[in-house]
Amino acid sequence: MVEDQAQESPSPRKGPDHAQVLRHLRRAQAVAVRAVAMGHHPFGAILVGPDHETVLLEQGNESAVNHAEAVLARSADTNFTPEFLWGCTLYTTVEPCAMCAATQYWANIGRLVYGMDERRLLLLTTGSTENPTLDVPARYIYAHGQKPIEVIGPVPEVEAEIAELHRAFWQGPLAP
């Protein structure tokens, strides 16, 4: 059943170890911090190769329709083959929205790792017209596809760091 595969699929591919997951999520967080410094929303994503070490692309949020994950997935699709991308992992600070999850799916990036889930983001951005968060989990999107996208997240060890950046951005003195 595709739904079971998308939710917690034990992939025949070897996944990243926990230390790699933490290291790459913290790098995605650094990209999110850079996005804020450039006047954008606090989201960051990186694409890591099948070796679970090589960072191939980094992307911060650009705008309301050019989210970090979607821009990264489109760039990956332009620069790598679908077969190669299937072995890659998209790391992102926050669970991708429906648009970004679907873009990852169509780009054929076979694994997603995120630090904080979309529902927690919704709690931090409630009332913000700049981030009308959708309550549609990425696993739901993948469960309705025909490919078993592996999903890891949320990751408790980094969730508080990510939430703090969002709290400061959406509710702090620089709130939009």
Side-chain angles (χ1 to χ4, degrees):
M1 176 190 242
V2 173
E3 182 173 326
D4 292 336
Q5 291 173 336
Q7 292 202 359
E8 296 300 334
S9 168
S11 174
R13 301 168 287 148
K14 182 182 178 298
D17 65 33
H18 197 64
Q20 290 167 321
V21 165
L22 295 178
R23 185 171 65 251
H24 293 313
L25 282 173
R26 286 191 170 113
R27 182 155 178 184
Q29 176 75 344
V31 174
V33 169
R34 276 199 320 264
V36 170
M38 295 173 67
H40 303 297
H41 294 168
F43 300 94
I46 65 171
L47 181 68
V48 176
D51 66 356
H52 306 295
E53 289 296 330
T54 306
V55 176
L56 303 168
L57 298 168
E58 292 186 344
Q59 183 64 52
N61 218 58
E62 292 181 358
S63 71
V65 295
N66 288 306
H67 296 181
E69 302 89 349
V71 173
L72 182 142
R74 286 191 298 270
S75 180
D77 177 66
T78 301
N79 288 287
F80 303 103
T81 67
E83 296 77 21
F84 179 77
L85 288 172
W86 186 249
C88 292
T89 304
L90 188 154
Y91 286 84
T92 183
T93 52
V94 178
E95 179 180 11
C97 71
M99 173 181 68
C100 294
T103 306
Q104 176 187 353
Y105 176 87
W106 288 111
N108 210 48
I109 301 169
R111 184 179 294 109
L112 167 68
V113 178
Y114 64 87
M116 183 175 78
D117 68 25
E118 188 82 357
R119 289 205 170 144
R120 178 111 185 247
L121 177 66
L122 177 61
L123 294 174
L124 295 169
T125 62
T126 297
S128 172
T129 58
E130 290 206 27
N131 196 50
T133 303
L134 293 167
D135 188 8
V136 181
R139 285 179 173 92
Y140 177 85
I141 301 293
Y142 303 141
H144 289 81
Q146 298 178 41
K147 299 184 269 189
I149 306 292
E150 182 180 354
V151 179
I152 299 168
V155 178
E157 294 90 335
V158 297
E159 192 171 8
E161 300 164 37
I162 294 166
E164 185 50 40
L165 178 63
H166 282 271
R167 187 176 297 102
F169 184 85
W170 299 107
Q171 300 169 5
L174 301 176

